[in-house]
Amino acid sequence: MQATVTKLKASECSREIVSKWHQRLGSDHGRYQANRSLALLSSIYGWAIRLGYWNGPNPARAIQRFREEPRSRFLNTSELARLHVALDEEANVFWRAYFRLALLLGARRSELLGAKWADFNLVDGLWTLPETKAGRSHTLPLPEAAARLLAALPSRFSSKWIFPSDKHPGHALSNANQAWTRIRKRAALPDVRIHDLRRTNGSWLAAQGCSLPLIGRVLNHSQPSTTAIYARLDLAPIREALERNAKLMLATRESDSGAT
């Protein structure tokens, strides 16, 4: 958050100030970051009001958010090939495995970073997350390639974390941004975000003809509308249907021409 908000007392932070701050964030850092920052500020005030620390209004409420278009970025075949080369060149074994597992499992960033060995059964090939963003447990079968990646990690018998931090012993890795920046630079994928790896998993499942309920089950979506974007990512079935339809409609013209 910018200093215009963070250096003000709660009583000095008016709705007008927050609105201008939100607009400036949108101009300087983009609509998505501006909306997320506004939501965070609103949550902080809401928390303070609920616990009795603040009895004034919430200045971040009722401020119009920027319109956001659903992001549909995913990796195609050539981009995926470049990513695999870049991952092979990554020196850190944990980041190399983390991003490949993110791709293979479609897992959320924080859920995979905070994964514990106790939640994995490599014999049966299962990962059970005790609690997810959706507020429930989630069991995900492990592809053989993912199970092999996990089994080869040096943390398997030395840490409770799948991805332990070397800077903070006893804790898991917590920030993947720096590692992802160098990896996507090597792969020439400047616009690809970490979350796009999860989206790539879903879009490739859609391209294979997997149903939306199945994709939603894999990605642990709580709302069908969240999964619906994958119906728009694969144009092959639409192309096939239009092609078949065009041939049928043109066949009637040829039939009429023959009749005359």
Side-chain angles (χ1 to χ4, degrees):
M1 297 182 190
Q2 292 187 1
T4 53
V5 169
T6 57
K7 292 189 177 181
L8 293 177
K9 295 180 179 179
S11 58
E12 299 172 333
C13 198
S14 67
R15 187 176 182 277
E16 181 182 5
I17 289 175
V18 173
S19 180
K20 290 180 179 179
W21 166 75
H22 176 245
Q23 291 293 324
R24 187 158 50 250
L25 272 181
S27 299
D28 296 344
H29 301 285
R31 297 172 297 169
Y32 298 96
Q33 183 171 332
N35 286 349
R36 299 294 89 74
S37 298
L38 182 63
L40 175 60
L41 183 63
S42 182
S43 295
I44 292 172
Y45 269 95
W47 173 83
I49 291 170
R50 286 193 303 274
L51 296 184
Y53 294 119
W54 175 246
N55 58 5
N58 183 339
R61 288 192 63 185
I63 292 178
Q64 185 174 0
R65 269 62 166 173
F66 292 111
R67 181 179 177 181
E68 298 182 14
E69 295 295 332
R71 184 173 168 86
S72 58
R73 182 68 166 95
F74 63 95
L75 301 179
N76 59 33
T77 304
S78 61
E79 290 174 329
L80 203 53
R82 297 203 306 272
L83 176 60
H84 284 309
V85 172
L87 287 174
D88 288 339
E89 295 172 351
E90 172 58 31
N92 188 302
V93 62
F94 292 116
W95 288 128
R96 190 165 65 239
Y98 170 78
F99 291 114
R100 197 157 266 149
L101 286 169
L103 189 64
L104 295 177
L105 303 178
R108 292 185 175 92
R109 179 202 302 216
S110 59
E111 291 170 352
L112 187 56
L113 274 179
K116 300 177 181 179
W117 282 110
D119 300 329
F120 283 82
N121 182 338
L122 296 187
V123 175
D124 296 330
L126 296 174
W127 176 21
T128 301
L129 289 82
E131 186 174 356
T132 66
K133 181 182 177 182
R136 58 176 180 265
S137 64
H138 179 55
T139 299
L140 189 66
L142 296 173
E144 289 185 8
R148 287 195 300 270
L149 271 174
L150 287 162
L153 287 175
S155 62
R156 186 178 180 187
F157 300 109
S158 61
S159 173
K160 70 175 182 179
W161 305 105
I162 301 292
F163 305 106
S165 171
D166 57 345
K167 296 182 179 179
H168 305 285
H171 295 272
L173 290 171
S174 59
N175 192 341
N177 291 333
Q178 187 175 4
W180 179 242
T181 296
R182 66 173 177 264
I183 289 170
R184 72 178 181 183
K185 183 177 181 180
R186 284 200 300 266
L189 299 169
D191 66 323
V192 176
R193 305 172 186 173
I194 296 175
H195 189 77
D196 294 334
L197 301 180
R198 173 174 165 84
R199 190 175 290 111
T200 296
N201 180 286
S203 66
W204 279 60
L205 286 172
Q208 296 176 57
C210 295
S211 68
L212 293 186
L214 188 149
I215 296 172
R217 176 70 177 82
V218 170
L219 301 179
N220 196 29
H221 286 158
S222 57
Q223 298 294 331
S225 59
T226 309
T227 314
I229 186 174
Y230 297 104
R232 306 199 302 267
L233 296 182
D234 181 28
L235 298 180
I238 300 174
R239 184 186 303 277
E240 181 181 346
L242 286 175
E243 187 69 35
R244 185 169 58 248
N245 203 42
K247 289 179 179 178
L248 288 173
M249 291 189 292
L250 289 175
T252 63
R253 191 184 79 172
E254 294 170 0
S255 176
D256 288 343
S257 298
T260 56

